[in-house]
């Protein structure tokens, strides 16, 4: 049987001895007896759409009255959602029920996702105790009677969720030989239990909080273990516990004197009990406390068990050597001097450490370790759509040679050593993986090798904060090309890395065909940006990266070609400024297309959607009711605009082609809003558990192949700069040339304002 079953039966007592059970809870008809916990306050709070604020201490334990309510609520959920006939709480069949329990918890209490594992663990223990109480109260003494198959009246009255079928399956398992065998084993183990606590439920947690409230600091776990086994009269519960308590006092005194040193889990309690801790438990602490949380809270240094073992072995070996030397009268210092090799003149030796020795003139100079780093942007080649994608920020050591190593492996020709500080696309694959890291997020803070042609040094930017003048070799983009579809525009990096070679001359403007209002920017781009320089525009938010506009962006926009995500972001920044000037900045929130559009290819699709959904959740988490979220989105083929109202659980989908949203967009939005609802933990609408409504809205339809980006800019302008913009947009039937030219003029004028001549 499973470990969970063994734990369950190990709590049962020996036949004929007094039973320690909570069977009084089943005597609901008797005056003054304990009844089933209902927690009406939790239900009242839920109906108001609110949550109970639970505080957690540094160890991860729920504290205060709210923490007690959380524990009780977990017990209620365990009785309602976990079948009494279940044999193993770790069964895969229980996963949907566990998720339902977690949903009920976060709907009623403010509990972070990091506590999910401990909450479910507590639920499993509560369910196990409930099954044990049922067995003790109604089954154990009547296991062989036929009447045991019928649900007791008190169970029917107090626990209507337990059906007759559940009860019969519960009895069937209790009458099996496997259960009887495990029960006998549990009884035998119970006889050996000598250190039972004198406290009730959550005794460790309560005692821990009492000490913290009095002293302002957490007590070591051996103190809590000892205190919870002392009776009110000050005596230990039994002589066996007194022996351990005396050992704890002795080691505590040694620790005070400095003669005892705790290393990780090998502390006073472990030494006193005589058996080590394992990863699944932490004695002297509540079930909510993990080992890592405890040692972080106590600031106790943890050491690898293998290192601890080697240190102990080395100390024992040193002691043995000292004893042998003393026995045979050997002076170890004299022996070491006699065993030292004779000094040899190493003059002219390249390996000599003496400063008087001269280096061999013919020997090459040793390559110094690069010690100067520069801030840089790290890119990866997009082999599907072409171009390069910004994946991280960091520092690069450019003075490297191919023989320099990273993690013991030579860099190789064309590579440099970099360290990543800010990941932009966490799940992007490293161009040169190591044994320690495969993805960008795994290499943060460490050294990795990176192709030099995909590293852009920040110091290469001009005073106008323009982009890099040189960039990766276009041959690295691969030979695969995909025929462009209607409105297709690659989602460029920020800044977009471009390289102009003799074979690839940038296109020139036909100024006679350009509207007069757009010509100033075209003249500037022709004269100042054709070498690869870029214009830096401020982002929408102060904590975001600047927006870089290069020659290709300007040329495409002015000549009415497909536009990039950088161009979309520039117009978003412009609209944000306009809204702020007229007092409408509190009505809308924009999401960058770089955060949500599927830029990467050939990656774990589920993880990639999860990462982009997290970006949406992070932005909409703290927005108040009534605020709309505008999200331009590019599937790699077409620009659309999503208007999200998270509090109404609805999404308006504006598509200039009139098509339905694709699968990636639907999964992204549904995942983001469903997880956000769990995060905020309240009933947003009566459809809280239903699929998010994504509605295709009426909007002007494009007639050409490259107009989708300009239409999306017009959609955002219509919505943000008008009082009833959504209604106006849905009633608008078309965009004419003047409408689109207005957007283009605003874009070029805004970009021109950031040019520094």
């Amino acid at each position: 049987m499973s470990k969970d079953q063994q734990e369950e039966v190990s709590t049962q007592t020996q036949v004929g001895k007094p039973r320690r059970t909570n069977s009084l809870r089943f005597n609901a008809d008797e005056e003054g007896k304990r009844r089933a916990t209902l927690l009406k306050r939790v239900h009242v709070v839920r109906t108001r759409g609110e949550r109970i604020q639970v505080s957690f201490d540094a160890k991860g334990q729920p504290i205060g009255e709210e923490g007690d309510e959380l524990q009780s609520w977990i017990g209620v959920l365990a009785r309602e959602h976990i079948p009494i006939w279940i044999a193993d709480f770790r069964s895969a069949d229980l996963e949907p029920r566990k998720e339902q329990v977690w949903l009920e918890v976060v709907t009623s209490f403010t509990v972070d996702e990091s506590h999910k594992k401990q909450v479910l663990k507590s639920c499993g223990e509560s369910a196990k105790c409930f099954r044990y109480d049922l067995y003790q109260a109604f089954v154990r003494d009547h296991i062989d009677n036929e009447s045991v198959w019928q649900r007791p009246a008190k169970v029917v009255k107090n626990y209507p969720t337990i059906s007759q079928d559940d009860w019969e399956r519960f009895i069937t398992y209790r009458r099996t030989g496997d259960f009887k065998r495990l029960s006998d084993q549990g009884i035998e183990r119970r006889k050996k239990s000598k250190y039972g606590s004198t406290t009730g439920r959550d005794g460790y947690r309560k005692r821990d909080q009492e000490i913290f409230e009095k002293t302002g600091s957490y007590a070591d776990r051996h103190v809590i273990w000892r205190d919870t086994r002392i009776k009110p009269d000050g005596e230990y519960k039994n002589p066996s516990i007194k022996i351990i308590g005396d050992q704890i006092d002795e080691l505590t005194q040694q620790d005070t004197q400095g003669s005892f040193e705790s290393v990780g889990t090998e502390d006073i309690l472990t030494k006193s009990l005589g058996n080590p801790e394992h990863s699944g438990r932490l004695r002297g602490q509540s079930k909510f406390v993990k080992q890592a949380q405890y040692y972080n809270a106590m600031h106790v240094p943890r050491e690898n068990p293998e290192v601890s073992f080697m240190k102990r072995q080395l100390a024992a070996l040193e002691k043995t050597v000292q004893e042998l030397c003393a026995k045979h009268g050997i002076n170890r210092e004299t022996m070491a001097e006699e065993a030292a090799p004779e000094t040899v003149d190493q003059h002219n030796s390249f390996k000599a450490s003496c400063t008087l020795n001269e280096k061999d003139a013919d020997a090459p100079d040793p390559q110094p370790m690069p010690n100067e780093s520069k801030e840089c942007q790290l890119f990866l080649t997009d082999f599907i759509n072409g171009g390069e994608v910004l994946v991280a920020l960091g520092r690069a050591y450019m003075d490297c040679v191919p023989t320099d190593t990273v993690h013991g492996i030579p860099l190789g020709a064309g590579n440099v050593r970099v360290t990543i500080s800010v990941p932009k696309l966490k799940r992007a694959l490293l161009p040169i993986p190591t044994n320690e890291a495969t993805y960008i997020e795994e290499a943060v803070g460490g050294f990795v090798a990176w192709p030099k042609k995909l590293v852009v040094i920040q110091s290469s930017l001009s005073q106008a904060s323009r982009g890099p003048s040189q960039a990766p070799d276009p041959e690295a983009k691969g030979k695969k090309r995909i025929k462009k579809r209607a409105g297709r525009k690659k989602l460029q990096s920020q800044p977009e890395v471009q390289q102009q070679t003799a074979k690839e001359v940038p296109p020139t403007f036909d100024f006679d065909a350009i509207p007069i209002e757009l010509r100033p920017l075209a003249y500037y781009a022709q004269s100042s940006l054709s070498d690869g320089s870029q214009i830096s525009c401020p982002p929408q938010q102060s904590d975001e990266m600047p927006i870089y506009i290069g020659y290709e962006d300007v040329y495409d926009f002015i000549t009415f070609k497909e536009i990039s995500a950088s161009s979309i972001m520039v117009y978003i920044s412009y609209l944000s400024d306009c809204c702020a000037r007229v007092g409408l900045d509190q009505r809308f929130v924009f999401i960058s297309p770089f955060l949500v559009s599927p830029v990467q290819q050939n990656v774990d699709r589920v993880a990639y959607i999860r990462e982009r959904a997290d970006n949406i959740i992070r932005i909409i988490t703290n927005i108040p009711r009534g605020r709309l979220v505008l999200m331009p989105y590019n599937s790699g083929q077409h620009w659309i605009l999503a208007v999200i109202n998270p509090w109404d659980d609805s999404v308006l989908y504006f598509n200039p082609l009139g098509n339905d949203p694709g699968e990636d967009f639907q999964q992204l939005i549904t995942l983001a809003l469903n997880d956000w609802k769990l995060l905020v933990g309240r009933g947003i609408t009566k459809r809280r558990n239903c699929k998010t409504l994504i509605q295709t809205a009426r909007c002007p339809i494009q007639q050409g192949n490259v107009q989708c980006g300009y239409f999306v800019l017009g959609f955002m302008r219509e919505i943000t700069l008008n009082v009833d913009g959504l209604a106006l947009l849905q009633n608008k039937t078309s965009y004419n040339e003047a409408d689109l030219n207005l957007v283009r003029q605003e874009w070029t004028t805004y970009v021109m304002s950031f040019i520094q001549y």
Side-chain angles (χ1 to χ4, degrees):
M1 284 297 167
S2 66
K3 181 180 177 181
D4 188 71
Q5 295 169 332
Q6 297 176 7
E7 290 178 352
E8 176 180 353
V9 296
S10 66
T11 61
Q12 299 175 2
T13 57
Q14 198 172 7
V15 177
K17 289 189 175 182
R19 286 175 285 176
R20 184 175 60 86
T21 176
N22 287 330
S23 59
L24 290 179
R25 73 168 64 182
F26 302 107
N27 298 327
D29 297 332
E30 300 180 22
E31 186 67 26
K33 300 299 183 180
R34 180 181 175 186
R35 291 164 171 79
T37 304
L38 298 178
L39 294 180
K40 293 184 179 179
R41 175 172 177 263
V42 177
H43 291 280
V44 172
V45 172
R46 283 168 58 113
T47 56
R48 295 201 301 259
E50 301 174 357
R51 291 190 298 170
I52 298 175
Q53 184 72 33
V54 181
S55 299
F56 292 82
D57 61 12
K59 297 180 181 180
Q61 302 176 111
I63 58 177
E65 295 182 1
E66 294 79 8
D68 295 341
E69 284 184 313
L70 173 62
Q71 290 286 76
S72 299
W73 183 242
I74 292 173
V76 172
L77 298 177
R79 297 195 297 269
E80 291 182 355
H81 296 285
I82 308 301
I84 61 173
W85 46 263
I86 194 68
D88 188 353
F89 189 73
R90 296 168 298 181
S91 173
D93 297 336
L94 277 182
E95 290 303 320
R97 296 178 181 269
K98 292 179 184 178
E99 291 299 325
Q100 183 64 29
V101 168
W102 175 245
L103 176 61
E104 293 285 348
V105 169
V106 298
T107 303
S108 306
F109 296 85
T110 55
V111 182
D112 189 75
E113 185 79 17
S114 60
H115 299 290
K116 180 177 180 179
K117 182 177 180 180
Q118 298 303 102
V119 166
L120 295 181
K121 179 181 177 182
S122 178
C123 177
E125 293 182 357
S126 298
K128 181 180 66 177
C129 292
F130 181 57
R131 295 193 298 270
Y132 170 72
D133 289 339
L134 287 174
Y135 178 77
Q136 291 291 85
F138 303 111
V139 179
R140 179 181 177 182
D141 296 337
H142 313 282
I143 190 66
D144 296 324
N145 297 337
E146 291 301 322
S147 60
V148 77
W149 293 97
Q150 187 64 34
R151 281 181 301 168
K154 294 177 181 178
V155 173
V156 174
K157 179 178 181 180
N158 295 332
Y159 304 101
T161 57
I162 300 178
S163 65
Q164 178 63 31
D165 180 64
D166 291 339
W167 184 260
E168 291 178 359
R169 297 178 67 178
F170 173 70
I171 299 300
T172 299
Y173 173 66
R174 261 57 187 177
R175 298 181 70 168
T176 60
D178 288 337
F179 178 80
K180 293 178 180 179
R181 176 177 53 83
L182 291 174
S183 179
D184 292 339
Q185 293 177 359
I187 291 173
E188 293 300 320
R189 282 196 298 268
R190 184 66 181 174
K191 291 179 181 179
K192 301 177 182 179
S193 178
K194 301 178 293 184
Y195 310 129
S197 171
T198 60
T199 60
R201 185 185 71 169
D202 297 330
Y204 288 147
R205 182 171 63 96
K206 297 291 183 62
R207 181 56 183 161
D208 200 2
Q209 290 305 311
E210 290 175 2
I211 296 176
F212 183 81
E213 292 174 0
K214 291 180 180 179
T215 64
S217 61
Y218 294 107
D220 291 316
R221 62 193 186 105
H222 65 268
V223 175
I224 299 176
W225 187 94
R226 181 192 59 195
D227 289 356
T228 53
R229 284 158 178 81
I230 298 178
K231 296 186 293 185
D233 59 4
E235 298 293 332
Y236 285 104
K237 186 176 179 181
N238 57 52
S240 299
I241 296 178
K242 185 178 187 305
I243 295 175
I244 302 300
D246 293 341
Q247 179 70 8
I248 289 176
D249 294 338
E250 180 181 349
L251 293 177
T252 302
Q253 185 177 2
Q254 294 179 12
D255 185 43
T256 304
Q257 297 172 353
S259 58
F260 178 84
E261 181 179 1
S262 297
V263 180
T265 57
E266 297 182 8
D267 55 7
I268 293 177
L269 182 58
T270 300
K271 188 72 173 178
S272 300
L273 292 174
N275 53 345
E277 295 287 348
H278 59 72
S279 59
R281 72 178 180 190
L282 188 66
R283 292 171 293 191
Q285 295 293 300
S286 74
K287 54 181 172 289
F288 272 90
V289 182
K290 303 176 184 177
Q291 288 190 13
Q293 292 173 313
Y294 172 79
Y295 289 108
N296 288 337
M298 301 298 295
H299 303 288
V300 178
R302 300 187 67 192
E303 189 172 42
N304 189 301
E306 295 181 1
V307 176
S308 302
F309 176 76
M310 293 175 64
K311 285 185 176 180
R312 293 195 301 270
Q313 293 291 92
L314 183 60
L317 181 61
E318 176 67 21
K319 183 179 180 180
T320 302
V321 172
Q322 291 178 354
E323 292 175 351
L324 290 174
C325 289
K327 180 178 180 180
H328 297 285
I330 299 175
N331 188 326
R332 297 181 64 187
E333 296 181 359
T334 304
M335 182 177 63
E337 293 176 358
E338 294 175 353
E342 183 178 354
T343 305
V344 179
D345 183 11
Q346 296 180 336
H347 186 65
N348 290 334
S349 171
F350 178 71
K351 296 182 180 180
S353 60
C354 179
T355 57
L356 297 178
N357 293 336
E358 297 178 0
K359 184 177 63 176
D360 189 351
D362 297 330
D365 292 336
Q367 179 65 32
M369 177 68 69
N371 54 12
E372 181 179 355
S373 63
K374 299 179 180 179
E375 293 185 0
C376 67
Q377 298 169 325
L378 304 176
F379 293 83
L380 289 179
T381 302
D382 186 351
F383 292 98
I384 302 299
N385 294 328
E388 288 74 32
V389 179
L390 177 66
V391 296
L393 304 178
R395 303 190 70 87
Y397 298 82
M398 304 301 292
D399 299 329
C400 296
V401 295
T403 55
D404 289 342
T405 61
V406 173
H407 302 289
I409 301 175
L411 284 175
N415 300 325
V416 296
R417 181 189 287 108
V418 303
T419 178
I420 298 174
S421 55
V422 180
K424 292 295 184 181
L425 296 177
K426 296 180 180 181
R427 299 301 293 176
L429 294 172
L430 290 170
I432 306 176
T434 67
N435 293 332
E436 293 81 10
T438 303
Y439 299 97
I440 295 293
E441 63 179 354
E442 298 172 348
V444 175
F447 286 101
V448 294
W450 205 280
K452 188 175 182 178
K453 61 187 178 182
L454 295 176
V455 177
V456 176
I457 302 301
Q458 296 280 36
S459 59
S460 66
L461 304 181
S462 67
Q463 292 181 353
S465 299
R466 297 171 186 167
S469 58
Q470 294 184 352
D473 187 349
E475 295 179 359
K477 298 180 181 179
K479 299 181 180 180
K480 183 176 181 181
R481 298 293 179 187
I482 299 177
K483 184 177 179 181
K484 293 184 178 180
R485 304 180 189 177
R488 176 170 181 140
K489 178 64 181 178
K490 66 174 182 265
L491 192 64
Q492 298 173 337
S493 59
Q494 187 174 279
E496 172 70 12
V497 182
Q498 306 170 9
Q499 178 174 5
Q500 312 300 344
T501 64
K503 298 181 181 179
E504 185 180 348
V505 179
T508 57
F509 289 96
D510 181 3
F511 291 99
D512 293 335
I514 299 174
I516 297 178
E517 297 83 359
L518 311 184
R519 290 180 184 177
L521 181 58
Y523 285 124
Y524 178 83
Q526 188 81 46
S527 61
S528 301
L529 301 182
S530 57
D531 62 349
S533 299
Q534 295 179 331
I535 302 172
S536 174
C537 301
Q540 176 195 356
Q541 301 292 338
S542 59
D543 58 345
E544 296 178 351
M545 288 286 294
I547 307 166
Y548 294 95
I549 297 297
Y551 182 84
E552 183 182 354
D553 298 311
V554 175
Y555 181 84
D556 290 345
F557 198 94
I558 290 180
T559 58
F560 208 73
K561 297 183 181 299
E562 306 153 0
I563 61 176
S564 66
S566 296
S567 300
I568 297 284
M569 285 301 300
V570 167
Y571 200 70
I572 287 178
S573 182
Y574 165 74
L575 292 177
S576 298
D577 290 348
C578 293
C579 290
R581 287 196 298 268
V582 297
L584 299 177
D585 53 321
Q586 300 300 318
R587 292 178 54 197
F588 305 100
V589 173
F590 295 92
I591 297 181
S592 168
F594 288 109
L595 299 178
V596 295
S597 300
V599 180
Q600 296 175 256
Q601 305 291 335
N602 301 326
V603 296
D604 184 346
R605 183 172 177 273
V606 176
Y608 191 35
I609 292 179
R610 169 78 273 170
E611 176 186 338
R612 291 181 287 138
D614 289 342
N615 292 333
I616 298 176
I617 295 171
R618 173 174 52 82
I619 294 174
I620 69 175
T621 294
N622 297 318
I623 66 172
R625 289 183 181 272
R627 186 170 297 190
L628 298 179
V629 179
L630 274 60
M631 188 184 82
Y633 172 88
N634 191 313
S635 63
Q637 302 172 357
H638 182 62
W639 281 109
I640 62 96
L641 176 67
V643 180
I644 307 172
N645 190 338
W647 293 95
D648 286 345
D649 198 16
S650 63
V651 178
L652 288 178
Y653 175 81
F654 292 91
N655 189 341
L657 289 178
N659 301 331
D660 292 332
E663 181 181 358
D664 180 88
F665 178 84
Q666 291 179 328
Q667 292 181 354
L668 174 68
I669 293 296
T670 301
L671 178 62
L673 291 186
N674 285 347
D675 284 7
W676 176 75
K677 286 182 285 188
L678 294 180
L679 181 64
V680 299
R682 86 293 170 257
I684 302 172
T685 66
K686 294 182 179 179
R687 301 180 301 100
R688 178 171 54 85
N689 295 323
C690 299
K691 185 177 180 180
T692 299
L693 177 62
I694 302 178
Q695 180 181 358
T696 301
R698 294 178 54 189
C699 64
I701 302 299
Q702 70 184 71
Q703 302 300 321
N705 293 331
V706 297
Q707 298 174 340
C708 57
Y710 304 93
F711 270 63
V712 167
L713 300 185
F715 294 166
M716 292 192 293
R717 187 184 192 280
E718 200 85 42
I719 294 172
T720 57
L721 301 185
N722 294 286
V723 176
D724 197 7
L726 274 176
L728 292 176
L729 176 59
Q730 296 183 70
N731 292 327
K732 201 175 187 67
T733 57
S734 64
Y735 275 155
N736 55 34
E737 184 178 356
D739 294 326
L740 298 181
N741 281 340
L742 176 60
V743 172
R744 298 169 67 204
Q745 292 172 20
E746 293 174 341
W747 187 91
T748 54
T749 303
Y750 188 71
V751 172
M752 286 289 293
S753 66
F754 299 105
I755 293 177
Q756 299 181 8
Y757 295 93

